[in-house]
Amino acid sequence: MKVRIVRLIAIGLLAGALGGCQTGSIDTTMTSAFQANAQGSLADRKIDSGKKQFAAGNYGLAEKNFRAAVEATPDNGTAWLGLAASYDQLGRFDLADRAYAQLLKLEGAKASILNNQGYSYILRGDMKQARKVLSNAHALAPDNVVIEGNLKLANNA
């Protein structure tokens, strides 16, 4: 049940992060336009594949896809978020910490990012750090029920 909740939270956060993304039509008749979009298209495909693999519980394959997306577009916050969440599920918290650090540099302290980072601390049993990070997330989004639930989980452990 706990794993299912983690999956749902991560999928929800990834979907929310992608909700604001839009891809416009690209004139592929012009070689320069096609080449300029080549990296973006690769990253988009890898992110989509990573999300599907993550939802299916294939965290190793999700990590591989998100890592490829990060390598193609290092400034893509969605790719970094998926990579961090995949590392969390694989128990590679050292790599998750690095991914969260990069994500925070890119996008700043957003409630959704802090929520995932806080849940990462719950997964590794560091409730003190989880409460600290989740409290910061809660201050940014006081009505977010997912953050509230994670904060309660950290407080009751």
Side-chain angles (χ1 to χ4, degrees):
M1 172 115 171
K2 187 175 181 182
V3 172
R4 187 172 186 198
I5 292 170
V6 172
R7 285 185 195 158
L8 292 174
I9 291 168
I11 291 168
L13 291 173
L14 284 171
L18 288 177
C21 294
Q22 238 178 353
T23 56
S25 61
I26 295 172
D27 182 5
T28 57
T29 60
M30 296 179 61
T31 306
S32 61
F34 180 73
Q35 288 175 344
N37 188 46
Q39 281 190 326
S41 295
L42 173 65
D44 291 342
R45 286 192 311 269
K46 293 297 182 178
I47 288 169
D48 288 343
S49 182
K51 290 184 342 185
K52 289 175 185 170
Q53 294 297 337
F54 192 95
N58 301 323
Y59 303 117
L61 293 173
E63 179 273 337
K64 180 179 177 182
N65 282 286
F66 287 125
R67 186 170 22 91
V70 162
E71 290 168 356
T73 55
D75 61 343
N76 188 315
T78 302
W80 281 106
L81 183 64
L83 184 60
S86 297
Y87 283 144
D88 281 335
Q89 292 302 310
L90 293 169
R92 292 301 312 267
F93 301 119
D94 55 328
L95 296 174
D97 286 343
R98 290 170 54 187
Y100 285 121
Q102 184 62 32
L103 181 58
L104 289 167
K105 272 193 235 178
L106 283 173
E107 300 207 359
K110 293 182 178 178
S112 59
I113 296 168
L114 294 175
N115 178 64
N116 272 28
Q117 187 180 37
Y119 196 81
S120 176
Y121 287 113
I122 290 173
L123 290 175
R124 54 185 105 172
D126 187 348
M127 298 308 163
K128 181 179 178 183
Q129 189 65 19
R131 282 189 292 274
K132 179 181 172 185
V133 173
L134 289 167
S135 292
N136 291 337
H138 190 262
L140 294 171
D143 296 331
N144 186 308
V145 295
V146 175
I147 295 171
E148 282 183 32
N150 286 338
L151 193 52
K152 285 180 185 175
L153 185 63
N155 284 329
N156 293 331

mmCIF file with all atom_site columns, all heavy atoms in Angstrom, residues 121-149:
data_model
loop_
_atom_site.group_PDB
_atom_site.id
_atom_site.type_symbol
_atom_site.label_atom_id
_atom_site.label_alt_id
_atom_site.label_comp_id
_atom_site.label_asym_id
_atom_site.label_entity_id
_atom_site.label_seq_id
_atom_site.pdbx_PDB_ins_code
_atom_site.Cartn_x
_atom_site.Cartn_y
_atom_site.Cartn_z
_atom_site.occupancy
_atom_site.B_iso_or_equiv
_atom_site.pdbx_formal_charge
_atom_site.auth_seq_id
_atom_site.auth_comp_id
_atom_site.auth_asym_id
_atom_site.auth_atom_id
_atom_site.pdbx_PDB_model_num
ATOM 1   N N   . TYR A 1 121 ? 13.182 11.713 2.230  1.00 0.00 ? 121 TYR A N   1
ATOM 2   C CA  . TYR A 1 121 ? 13.703 11.537 3.590  1.00 0.00 ? 121 TYR A CA  1
ATOM 3   C C   . TYR A 1 121 ? 12.858 10.549 4.390  1.00 0.00 ? 121 TYR A C   1
ATOM 4   O O   . TYR A 1 121 ? 13.388 9.806  5.217  1.00 0.00 ? 121 TYR A O   1
ATOM 5   C CB  . TYR A 1 121 ? 13.806 12.886 4.306  1.00 0.00 ? 121 TYR A CB  1
ATOM 6   C CG  . TYR A 1 121 ? 14.935 13.731 3.781  1.00 0.00 ? 121 TYR A CG  1
ATOM 7   C CD1 . TYR A 1 121 ? 14.689 14.910 3.096  1.00 0.00 ? 121 TYR A CD1 1
ATOM 8   C CD2 . TYR A 1 121 ? 16.263 13.338 3.945  1.00 0.00 ? 121 TYR A CD2 1
ATOM 9   C CE1 . TYR A 1 121 ? 15.725 15.682 2.595  1.00 0.00 ? 121 TYR A CE1 1
ATOM 10  C CE2 . TYR A 1 121 ? 17.305 14.100 3.450  1.00 0.00 ? 121 TYR A CE2 1
ATOM 11  C CZ  . TYR A 1 121 ? 17.032 15.271 2.782  1.00 0.00 ? 121 TYR A CZ  1
ATOM 12  O OH  . TYR A 1 121 ? 18.061 16.017 2.278  1.00 0.00 ? 121 TYR A OH  1
ATOM 13  N N   . ILE A 1 122 ? 11.556 10.522 4.142  1.00 0.00 ? 122 ILE A N   1
ATOM 14  C CA  . ILE A 1 122 ? 10.700 9.532  4.801  1.00 0.00 ? 122 ILE A CA  1
ATOM 15  C C   . ILE A 1 122 ? 11.133 8.125  4.380  1.00 0.00 ? 122 ILE A C   1
ATOM 16  O O   . ILE A 1 122 ? 11.247 7.227  5.213  1.00 0.00 ? 122 ILE A O   1
ATOM 17  C CB  . ILE A 1 122 ? 9.208  9.765  4.475  1.00 0.00 ? 122 ILE A CB  1
ATOM 18  C CG1 . ILE A 1 122 ? 8.705  11.040 5.165  1.00 0.00 ? 122 ILE A CG1 1
ATOM 19  C CG2 . ILE A 1 122 ? 8.361  8.561  4.889  1.00 0.00 ? 122 ILE A CG2 1
ATOM 20  C CD1 . ILE A 1 122 ? 7.296  11.453 4.779  1.00 0.00 ? 122 ILE A CD1 1
ATOM 21  N N   . LEU A 1 123 ? 11.368 7.951  3.081  1.00 0.00 ? 123 LEU A N   1
ATOM 22  C CA  . LEU A 1 123 ? 11.764 6.630  2.576  1.00 0.00 ? 123 LEU A CA  1
ATOM 23  C C   . LEU A 1 123 ? 13.045 6.122  3.220  1.00 0.00 ? 123 LEU A C   1
ATOM 24  O O   . LEU A 1 123 ? 13.209 4.931  3.438  1.00 0.00 ? 123 LEU A O   1
ATOM 25  C CB  . LEU A 1 123 ? 11.953 6.674  1.053  1.00 0.00 ? 123 LEU A CB  1
ATOM 26  C CG  . LEU A 1 123 ? 10.694 6.831  0.220  1.00 0.00 ? 123 LEU A CG  1
ATOM 27  C CD1 . LEU A 1 123 ? 11.056 6.979  -1.256 1.00 0.00 ? 123 LEU A CD1 1
ATOM 28  C CD2 . LEU A 1 123 ? 9.758  5.651  0.418  1.00 0.00 ? 123 LEU A CD2 1
ATOM 29  N N   . ARG A 1 124 ? 13.938 7.030  3.548  1.00 0.00 ? 124 ARG A N   1
ATOM 30  C CA  . ARG A 1 124 ? 15.210 6.599  4.149  1.00 0.00 ? 124 ARG A CA  1
ATOM 31  C C   . ARG A 1 124 ? 15.173 6.626  5.676  1.00 0.00 ? 124 ARG A C   1
ATOM 32  O O   . ARG A 1 124 ? 16.165 6.342  6.322  1.00 0.00 ? 124 ARG A O   1
ATOM 33  C CB  . ARG A 1 124 ? 16.380 7.412  3.600  1.00 0.00 ? 124 ARG A CB  1
ATOM 34  C CG  . ARG A 1 124 ? 16.233 8.906  3.715  1.00 0.00 ? 124 ARG A CG  1
ATOM 35  C CD  . ARG A 1 124 ? 17.374 9.638  3.048  1.00 0.00 ? 124 ARG A CD  1
ATOM 36  N NE  . ARG A 1 124 ? 16.953 10.213 1.780  1.00 0.00 ? 124 ARG A NE  1
ATOM 37  C CZ  . ARG A 1 124 ? 17.690 11.024 1.059  1.00 0.00 ? 124 ARG A CZ  1
ATOM 38  N NH1 . ARG A 1 124 ? 18.892 11.353 1.448  1.00 0.00 ? 124 ARG A NH1 1
ATOM 39  N NH2 . ARG A 1 124 ? 17.247 11.507 -0.062 1.00 0.00 ? 124 ARG A NH2 1
ATOM 40  N N   . GLY A 1 125 ? 13.993 7.001  6.245  1.00 0.00 ? 125 GLY A N   1
ATOM 41  C CA  . GLY A 1 125 ? 13.823 6.953  7.689  1.00 0.00 ? 125 GLY A CA  1
ATOM 42  C C   . GLY A 1 125 ? 14.325 8.174  8.438  1.00 0.00 ? 125 GLY A C   1
ATOM 43  O O   . GLY A 1 125 ? 14.390 8.159  9.662  1.00 0.00 ? 125 GLY A O   1
ATOM 44  N N   . ASP A 1 126 ? 14.645 9.250  7.751  1.00 0.00 ? 126 ASP A N   1
ATOM 45  C CA  . ASP A 1 126 ? 15.123 10.481 8.389  1.00 0.00 ? 126 ASP A CA  1
ATOM 46  C C   . ASP A 1 126 ? 13.933 11.428 8.594  1.00 0.00 ? 126 ASP A C   1
ATOM 47  O O   . ASP A 1 126 ? 13.723 12.377 7.836  1.00 0.00 ? 126 ASP A O   1
ATOM 48  C CB  . ASP A 1 126 ? 16.202 11.136 7.524  1.00 0.00 ? 126 ASP A CB  1
ATOM 49  C CG  . ASP A 1 126 ? 16.867 12.328 8.187  1.00 0.00 ? 126 ASP A CG  1
ATOM 50  O OD1 . ASP A 1 126 ? 16.363 12.815 9.228  1.00 0.00 ? 126 ASP A OD1 1
ATOM 51  O OD2 . ASP A 1 126 ? 17.895 12.791 7.653  1.00 0.00 ? 126 ASP A OD2 1
ATOM 52  N N   . MET A 1 127 ? 13.168 11.138 9.647  1.00 0.00 ? 127 MET A N   1
ATOM 53  C CA  . MET A 1 127 ? 11.934 11.894 9.877  1.00 0.00 ? 127 MET A CA  1
ATOM 54  C C   . MET A 1 127 ? 12.198 13.343 10.282 1.00 0.00 ? 127 MET A C   1
ATOM 55  O O   . MET A 1 127 ? 11.409 14.225 9.970  1.00 0.00 ? 127 MET A O   1
ATOM 56  C CB  . MET A 1 127 ? 11.075 11.193 10.941 1.00 0.00 ? 127 MET A CB  1
ATOM 57  C CG  . MET A 1 127 ? 10.625 9.813  10.532 1.00 0.00 ? 127 MET A CG  1
ATOM 58  S SD  . MET A 1 127 ? 9.829  9.793  8.901  1.00 0.00 ? 127 MET A SD  1
ATOM 59  C CE  . MET A 1 127 ? 9.898  8.077  8.526  1.00 0.00 ? 127 MET A CE  1
ATOM 60  N N   . LYS A 1 128 ? 13.293 13.594 10.958 1.00 0.00 ? 128 LYS A N   1
ATOM 61  C CA  . LYS A 1 128 ? 13.617 14.970 11.353 1.00 0.00 ? 128 LYS A CA  1
ATOM 62  C C   . LYS A 1 128 ? 13.801 15.850 10.109 1.00 0.00 ? 128 LYS A C   1
ATOM 63  O O   . LYS A 1 128 ? 13.218 16.929 10.009 1.00 0.00 ? 128 LYS A O   1
ATOM 64  C CB  . LYS A 1 128 ? 14.885 14.986 12.216 1.00 0.00 ? 128 LYS A CB  1
ATOM 65  C CG  . LYS A 1 128 ? 15.279 16.363 12.679 1.00 0.00 ? 128 LYS A CG  1
ATOM 66  C CD  . LYS A 1 128 ? 16.523 16.315 13.559 1.00 0.00 ? 128 LYS A CD  1
ATOM 67  C CE  . LYS A 1 128 ? 16.934 17.723 13.974 1.00 0.00 ? 128 LYS A CE  1
ATOM 68  N NZ  . LYS A 1 128 ? 18.164 17.705 14.767 1.00 0.00 ? 128 LYS A NZ  1
ATOM 69  N N   . GLN A 1 129 ? 14.599 15.375 9.160  1.00 0.00 ? 129 GLN A N   1
ATOM 70  C CA  . GLN A 1 129 ? 14.823 16.137 7.930  1.00 0.00 ? 129 GLN A CA  1
ATOM 71  C C   . GLN A 1 129 ? 13.551 16.177 7.083  1.00 0.00 ? 129 GLN A C   1
ATOM 72  O O   . GLN A 1 129 ? 13.260 17.182 6.447  1.00 0.00 ? 129 GLN A O   1
ATOM 73  C CB  . GLN A 1 129 ? 15.993 15.544 7.138  1.00 0.00 ? 129 GLN A CB  1
ATOM 74  C CG  . GLN A 1 129 ? 16.438 16.392 5.977  1.00 0.00 ? 129 GLN A CG  1
ATOM 75  C CD  . GLN A 1 129 ? 17.030 17.733 6.386  1.00 0.00 ? 129 GLN A CD  1
ATOM 76  O OE1 . GLN A 1 129 ? 17.446 17.939 7.516  1.00 0.00 ? 129 GLN A OE1 1
ATOM 77  N NE2 . GLN A 1 129 ? 17.050 18.653 5.457  1.00 0.00 ? 129 GLN A NE2 1
ATOM 78  N N   . ALA A 1 130 ? 12.789 15.086 7.091  1.00 0.00 ? 130 ALA A N   1
ATOM 79  C CA  . ALA A 1 130 ? 11.524 15.049 6.346  1.00 0.00 ? 130 ALA A CA  1
ATOM 80  C C   . ALA A 1 130 ? 10.570 16.119 6.866  1.00 0.00 ? 130 ALA A C   1
ATOM 81  O O   . ALA A 1 130 ? 9.961  16.856 6.073  1.00 0.00 ? 130 ALA A O   1
ATOM 82  C CB  . ALA A 1 130 ? 10.884 13.667 6.465  1.00 0.00 ? 130 ALA A CB  1
ATOM 83  N N   . ARG A 1 131 ? 10.449 16.218 8.183  1.00 0.00 ? 131 ARG A N   1
ATOM 84  C CA  . ARG A 1 131 ? 9.561  17.235 8.765  1.00 0.00 ? 131 ARG A CA  1
ATOM 85  C C   . ARG A 1 131 ? 10.006 18.642 8.388  1.00 0.00 ? 131 ARG A C   1
ATOM 86  O O   . ARG A 1 131 ? 9.180  19.498 8.060  1.00 0.00 ? 131 ARG A O   1
ATOM 87  C CB  . ARG A 1 131 ? 9.518  17.086 10.285 1.00 0.00 ? 131 ARG A CB  1
ATOM 88  C CG  . ARG A 1 131 ? 8.637  15.942 10.758 1.00 0.00 ? 131 ARG A CG  1
ATOM 89  C CD  . ARG A 1 131 ? 8.432  15.961 12.271 1.00 0.00 ? 131 ARG A CD  1
ATOM 90  N NE  . ARG A 1 131 ? 9.651  15.656 13.002 1.00 0.00 ? 131 ARG A NE  1
ATOM 91  C CZ  . ARG A 1 131 ? 10.061 14.426 13.296 1.00 0.00 ? 131 ARG A CZ  1
ATOM 92  N NH1 . ARG A 1 131 ? 9.351  13.383 12.905 1.00 0.00 ? 131 ARG A NH1 1
ATOM 93  N NH2 . ARG A 1 131 ? 11.174 14.229 13.975 1.00 0.00 ? 131 ARG A NH2 1
ATOM 94  N N   . LYS A 1 132 ? 11.306 18.872 8.413  1.00 0.00 ? 132 LYS A N   1
ATOM 95  C CA  . LYS A 1 132 ? 11.839 20.195 8.069  1.00 0.00 ? 132 LYS A CA  1
ATOM 96  C C   . LYS A 1 132 ? 11.497 20.572 6.623  1.00 0.00 ? 132 LYS A C   1
ATOM 97  O O   . LYS A 1 132 ? 10.956 21.649 6.361  1.00 0.00 ? 132 LYS A O   1
ATOM 98  C CB  . LYS A 1 132 ? 13.357 20.205 8.277  1.00 0.00 ? 132 LYS A CB  1
ATOM 99  C CG  . LYS A 1 132 ? 14.030 21.507 7.939  1.00 0.00 ? 132 LYS A CG  1
ATOM 100 C CD  . LYS A 1 132 ? 15.530 21.401 8.164  1.00 0.00 ? 132 LYS A CD  1
ATOM 101 C CE  . LYS A 1 132 ? 16.241 22.644 7.650  1.00 0.00 ? 132 LYS A CE  1
ATOM 102 N NZ  . LYS A 1 132 ? 17.690 22.508 7.746  1.00 0.00 ? 132 LYS A NZ  1
ATOM 103 N N   . VAL A 1 133 ? 11.789 19.673 5.698  1.00 0.00 ? 133 VAL A N   1
ATOM 104 C CA  . VAL A 1 133 ? 11.551 19.957 4.280  1.00 0.00 ? 133 VAL A CA  1
ATOM 105 C C   . VAL A 1 133 ? 10.050 20.034 3.988  1.00 0.00 ? 133 VAL A C   1
ATOM 106 O O   . VAL A 1 133 ? 9.587  20.929 3.268  1.00 0.00 ? 133 VAL A O   1
ATOM 107 C CB  . VAL A 1 133 ? 12.247 18.897 3.396  1.00 0.00 ? 133 VAL A CB  1
ATOM 108 C CG1 . VAL A 1 133 ? 11.888 19.066 1.936  1.00 0.00 ? 133 VAL A CG1 1
ATOM 109 C CG2 . VAL A 1 133 ? 13.758 18.969 3.582  1.00 0.00 ? 133 VAL A CG2 1
ATOM 110 N N   . LEU A 1 134 ? 9.285  19.105 4.545  1.00 0.00 ? 134 LEU A N   1
ATOM 111 C CA  . LEU A 1 134 ? 7.837  19.106 4.313  1.00 0.00 ? 134 LEU A CA  1
ATOM 112 C C   . LEU A 1 134 ? 7.157  20.315 4.952  1.00 0.00 ? 134 LEU A C   1
ATOM 113 O O   . LEU A 1 134 ? 6.164  20.826 4.420  1.00 0.00 ? 134 LEU A O   1
ATOM 114 C CB  . LEU A 1 134 ? 7.218  17.800 4.816  1.00 0.00 ? 134 LEU A CB  1
ATOM 115 C CG  . LEU A 1 134 ? 7.565  16.576 3.967  1.00 0.00 ? 134 LEU A CG  1
ATOM 116 C CD1 . LEU A 1 134 ? 7.186  15.296 4.693  1.00 0.00 ? 134 LEU A CD1 1
ATOM 117 C CD2 . LEU A 1 134 ? 6.892  16.648 2.602  1.00 0.00 ? 134 LEU A CD2 1
ATOM 118 N N   . SER A 1 135 ? 7.684  20.806 6.054  1.00 0.00 ? 135 SER A N   1
ATOM 119 C CA  . SER A 1 135 ? 7.142  22.036 6.654  1.00 0.00 ? 135 SER A CA  1
ATOM 120 C C   . SER A 1 135 ? 7.352  23.215 5.721  1.00 0.00 ? 135 SER A C   1
ATOM 121 O O   . SER A 1 135 ? 6.466  24.070 5.580  1.00 0.00 ? 135 SER A O   1
ATOM 122 C CB  . SER A 1 135 ? 7.803  22.314 8.008  1.00 0.00 ? 135 SER A CB  1
ATOM 123 O OG  . SER A 1 135 ? 7.417  21.344 8.946  1.00 0.00 ? 135 SER A OG  1
ATOM 124 N N   . ASN A 1 136 ? 8.505  23.263 5.075  1.00 0.00 ? 136 ASN A N   1
ATOM 125 C CA  . ASN A 1 136 ? 8.755  24.317 4.086  1.00 0.00 ? 136 ASN A CA  1
ATOM 126 C C   . ASN A 1 136 ? 7.805  24.196 2.902  1.00 0.00 ? 136 ASN A C   1
ATOM 127 O O   . ASN A 1 136 ? 7.300  25.198 2.389  1.00 0.00 ? 136 ASN A O   1
ATOM 128 C CB  . ASN A 1 136 ? 10.211 24.282 3.617  1.00 0.00 ? 136 ASN A CB  1
ATOM 129 C CG  . ASN A 1 136 ? 11.178 24.695 4.699  1.00 0.00 ? 136 ASN A CG  1
ATOM 130 O OD1 . ASN A 1 136 ? 10.830 25.396 5.640  1.00 0.00 ? 136 ASN A OD1 1
ATOM 131 N ND2 . ASN A 1 136 ? 12.414 24.242 4.570  1.00 0.00 ? 136 ASN A ND2 1
ATOM 132 N N   . ALA A 1 137 ? 7.565  22.969 2.460  1.00 0.00 ? 137 ALA A N   1
ATOM 133 C CA  . ALA A 1 137 ? 6.619  22.746 1.360  1.00 0.00 ? 137 ALA A CA  1
ATOM 134 C C   . ALA A 1 137 ? 5.215  23.170 1.777  1.00 0.00 ? 137 ALA A C   1
ATOM 135 O O   . ALA A 1 137 ? 4.495  23.821 1.010  1.00 0.00 ? 137 ALA A O   1
ATOM 136 C CB  . ALA A 1 137 ? 6.628  21.274 0.948  1.00 0.00 ? 137 ALA A CB  1
ATOM 137 N N   . HIS A 1 138 ? 4.832  22.822 3.003  1.00 0.00 ? 138 HIS A N   1
ATOM 138 C CA  . HIS A 1 138 ? 3.502  23.167 3.513  1.00 0.00 ? 138 HIS A CA  1
ATOM 139 C C   . HIS A 1 138 ? 3.322  24.676 3.622  1.00 0.00 ? 138 HIS A C   1
ATOM 140 O O   . HIS A 1 138 ? 2.235  25.201 3.356  1.00 0.00 ? 138 HIS A O   1
ATOM 141 C CB  . HIS A 1 138 ? 3.273  22.493 4.869  1.00 0.00 ? 138 HIS A CB  1
ATOM 142 C CG  . HIS A 1 138 ? 1.872  22.597 5.351  1.00 0.00 ? 138 HIS A CG  1
ATOM 143 N ND1 . HIS A 1 138 ? 1.465  23.537 6.256  1.00 0.00 ? 138 HIS A ND1 1
ATOM 144 C CD2 . HIS A 1 138 ? 0.767  21.871 5.029  1.00 0.00 ? 138 HIS A CD2 1
ATOM 145 C CE1 . HIS A 1 138 ? 0.177  23.403 6.488  1.00 0.00 ? 138 HIS A CE1 1
ATOM 146 N NE2 . HIS A 1 138 ? -0.271 22.386 5.748  1.00 0.00 ? 138 HIS A NE2 1
ATOM 147 N N   . ALA A 1 139 ? 4.392  25.388 3.978  1.00 0.00 ? 139 ALA A N   1
ATOM 148 C CA  . ALA A 1 139 ? 4.314  26.854 4.058  1.00 0.00 ? 139 ALA A CA  1
ATOM 149 C C   . ALA A 1 139 ? 4.055  27.464 2.676  1.00 0.00 ? 139 ALA A C   1
ATOM 150 O O   . ALA A 1 139 ? 3.369  28.483 2.564  1.00 0.00 ? 139 ALA A O   1
ATOM 151 C CB  . ALA A 1 139 ? 5.603  27.414 4.651  1.00 0.00 ? 139 ALA A CB  1
ATOM 152 N N   . LEU A 1 140 ? 4.571  26.832 1.634  1.00 0.00 ? 140 LEU A N   1
ATOM 153 C CA  . LEU A 1 140 ? 4.370  27.319 0.273  1.00 0.00 ? 140 LEU A CA  1
ATOM 154 C C   . LEU A 1 140 ? 3.007  26.943 -0.295 1.00 0.00 ? 140 LEU A C   1
ATOM 155 O O   . LEU A 1 140 ? 2.467  27.639 -1.152 1.00 0.00 ? 140 LEU A O   1
ATOM 156 C CB  . LEU A 1 140 ? 5.471  26.780 -0.649 1.00 0.00 ? 140 LEU A CB  1
ATOM 157 C CG  . LEU A 1 140 ? 6.885  27.274 -0.376 1.00 0.00 ? 140 LEU A CG  1
ATOM 158 C CD1 . LEU A 1 140 ? 7.896  26.495 -1.219 1.00 0.00 ? 140 LEU A CD1 1
ATOM 159 C CD2 . LEU A 1 140 ? 6.997  28.772 -0.651 1.00 0.00 ? 140 LEU A CD2 1
ATOM 160 N N   . ALA A 1 141 ? 2.463  25.826 0.163  1.00 0.00 ? 141 ALA A N   1
ATOM 161 C CA  . ALA A 1 141 ? 1.167  25.338 -0.340 1.00 0.00 ? 141 ALA A CA  1
ATOM 162 C C   . ALA A 1 141 ? 0.371  24.764 0.822  1.00 0.00 ? 141 ALA A C   1
ATOM 163 O O   . ALA A 1 141 ? 0.241  23.540 0.961  1.00 0.00 ? 141 ALA A O   1
ATOM 164 C CB  . ALA A 1 141 ? 1.386  24.297 -1.419 1.00 0.00 ? 141 ALA A CB  1
ATOM 165 N N   . PRO A 1 142 ? -0.175 25.638 1.683  1.00 0.00 ? 142 PRO A N   1
ATOM 166 C CA  . PRO A 1 142 ? -0.847 25.163 2.904  1.00 0.00 ? 142 PRO A CA  1
ATOM 167 C C   . PRO A 1 142 ? -2.107 24.323 2.663  1.00 0.00 ? 142 PRO A C   1
ATOM 168 O O   . PRO A 1 142 ? -2.501 23.568 3.541  1.00 0.00 ? 142 PRO A O   1
ATOM 169 C CB  . PRO A 1 142 ? -1.187 26.453 3.650  1.00 0.00 ? 142 PRO A CB  1
ATOM 170 C CG  . PRO A 1 142 ? -1.066 27.544 2.663  1.00 0.00 ? 142 PRO A CG  1
ATOM 171 C CD  . PRO A 1 142 ? -0.162 27.084 1.571  1.00 0.00 ? 142 PRO A CD  1
ATOM 172 N N   . ASP A 1 143 ? -2.703 24.408 1.484  1.00 0.00 ? 143 ASP A N   1
ATOM 173 C CA  . ASP A 1 143 ? -3.932 23.656 1.214  1.00 0.00 ? 143 ASP A CA  1
ATOM 174 C C   . ASP A 1 143 ? -3.678 22.357 0.448  1.00 0.00 ? 143 ASP A C   1
ATOM 175 O O   . ASP A 1 143 ? -4.616 21.663 0.084  1.00 0.00 ? 143 ASP A O   1
ATOM 176 C CB  . ASP A 1 143 ? -4.915 24.521 0.424  1.00 0.00 ? 143 ASP A CB  1
ATOM 177 C CG  . ASP A 1 143 ? -5.382 25.731 1.221  1.00 0.00 ? 143 ASP A CG  1
ATOM 178 O OD1 . ASP A 1 143 ? -5.432 25.643 2.469  1.00 0.00 ? 143 ASP A OD1 1
ATOM 179 O OD2 . ASP A 1 143 ? -5.696 26.761 0.595  1.00 0.00 ? 143 ASP A OD2 1
ATOM 180 N N   . ASN A 1 144 ? -2.429 22.021 0.217  1.00 0.00 ? 144 ASN A N   1
ATOM 181 C CA  . ASN A 1 144 ? -2.096 20.825 -0.546 1.00 0.00 ? 144 ASN A CA  1
ATOM 182 C C   . ASN A 1 144 ? -2.241 19.591 0.350  1.00 0.00 ? 144 ASN A C   1
ATOM 183 O O   . ASN A 1 144 ? -1.483 19.405 1.304  1.00 0.00 ? 144 ASN A O   1
ATOM 184 C CB  . ASN A 1 144 ? -0.668 20.938 -1.098 1.00 0.00 ? 144 ASN A CB  1
ATOM 185 C CG  . ASN A 1 144 ? -0.314 19.812 -2.018 1.00 0.00 ? 144 ASN A CG  1
ATOM 186 O OD1 . ASN A 1 144 ? -0.463 18.644 -1.683 1.00 0.00 ? 144 ASN A OD1 1
ATOM 187 N ND2 . ASN A 1 144 ? 0.189  20.157 -3.192 1.00 0.00 ? 144 ASN A ND2 1
ATOM 188 N N   . VAL A 1 145 ? -3.194 18.731 0.006  1.00 0.00 ? 145 VAL A N   1
ATOM 189 C CA  . VAL A 1 145 ? -3.492 17.565 0.850  1.00 0.00 ? 145 VAL A CA  1
ATOM 190 C C   . VAL A 1 145 ? -2.392 16.506 0.791  1.00 0.00 ? 145 VAL A C   1
ATOM 191 O O   . VAL A 1 145 ? -2.197 15.769 1.756  1.00 0.00 ? 145 VAL A O   1
ATOM 192 C CB  . VAL A 1 145 ? -4.861 16.940 0.498  1.00 0.00 ? 145 VAL A CB  1
ATOM 193 C CG1 . VAL A 1 145 ? -5.991 17.903 0.810  1.00 0.00 ? 145 VAL A CG1 1
ATOM 194 C CG2 . VAL A 1 145 ? -4.931 16.498 -0.946 1.00 0.00 ? 145 VAL A CG2 1
ATOM 195 N N   . VAL A 1 146 ? -1.673 16.426 -0.313 1.00 0.00 ? 146 VAL A N   1
ATOM 196 C CA  . VAL A 1 146 ? -0.584 15.457 -0.423 1.00 0.00 ? 146 VAL A CA  1
ATOM 197 C C   . VAL A 1 146 ? 0.533  15.840 0.534  1.00 0.00 ? 146 VAL A C   1
ATOM 198 O O   . VAL A 1 146 ? 1.067  14.996 1.258  1.00 0.00 ? 146 VAL A O   1
ATOM 199 C CB  . VAL A 1 146 ? -0.066 15.362 -1.876 1.00 0.00 ? 146 VAL A CB  1
ATOM 200 C CG1 . VAL A 1 146 ? 1.142  14.451 -1.965 1.00 0.00 ? 146 VAL A CG1 1
ATOM 201 C CG2 . VAL A 1 146 ? -1.165 14.871 -2.800 1.00 0.00 ? 146 VAL A CG2 1
ATOM 202 N N   . ILE A 1 147 ? 0.878  17.123 0.544  1.00 0.00 ? 147 ILE A N   1
ATOM 203 C CA  . ILE A 1 147 ? 1.917  17.603 1.457  1.00 0.00 ? 147 ILE A CA  1
ATOM 204 C C   . ILE A 1 147 ? 1.469  17.409 2.901  1.00 0.00 ? 147 ILE A C   1
ATOM 205 O O   . ILE A 1 147 ? 2.244  16.944 3.732  1.00 0.00 ? 147 ILE A O   1
ATOM 206 C CB  . ILE A 1 147 ? 2.265  19.079 1.169  1.00 0.00 ? 147 ILE A CB  1
ATOM 207 C CG1 . ILE A 1 147 ? 2.895  19.209 -0.223 1.00 0.00 ? 147 ILE A CG1 1
ATOM 208 C CG2 . ILE A 1 147 ? 3.211  19.624 2.242  1.00 0.00 ? 147 ILE A CG2 1
ATOM 209 C CD1 . ILE A 1 147 ? 3.082  20.630 -0.694 1.00 0.00 ? 147 ILE A CD1 1
ATOM 210 N N   . GLU A 1 148 ? 0.226  17.728 3.190  1.00 0.00 ? 148 GLU A N   1
ATOM 211 C CA  . GLU A 1 148 ? -0.308 17.519 4.545  1.00 0.00 ? 148 GLU A CA  1
ATOM 212 C C   . GLU A 1 148 ? -0.188 16.053 4.965  1.00 0.00 ? 148 GLU A C   1
ATOM 213 O O   . GLU A 1 148 ? 0.189  15.743 6.078  1.00 0.00 ? 148 GLU A O   1
ATOM 214 C CB  . GLU A 1 148 ? -1.777 17.961 4.624  1.00 0.00 ? 148 GLU A CB  1
ATOM 215 C CG  . GLU A 1 148 ? -1.956 19.441 4.734  1.00 0.00 ? 148 GLU A CG  1
ATOM 216 C CD  . GLU A 1 148 ? -3.431 19.815 4.887  1.00 0.00 ? 148 GLU A CD  1
ATOM 217 O OE1 . GLU A 1 148 ? -4.202 19.031 5.491  1.00 0.00 ? 148 GLU A OE1 1
ATOM 218 O OE2 . GLU A 1 148 ? -3.800 20.901 4.396  1.00 0.00 ? 148 GLU A OE2 1
ATOM 219 N N   . GLY A 1 149 ? -0.557 15.152 4.066  1.00 0.00 ? 149 GLY A N   1
ATOM 220 C CA  . GLY A 1 149 ? -0.492 13.726 4.358  1.00 0.00 ? 149 GLY A CA  1
ATOM 221 C C   . GLY A 1 149 ? 0.935  13.271 4.618  1.00 0.00 ? 149 GLY A C   1
ATOM 222 O O   . GLY A 1 149 ? 1.194  12.505 5.565  1.00 0.00 ? 149 GLY A O   1
#
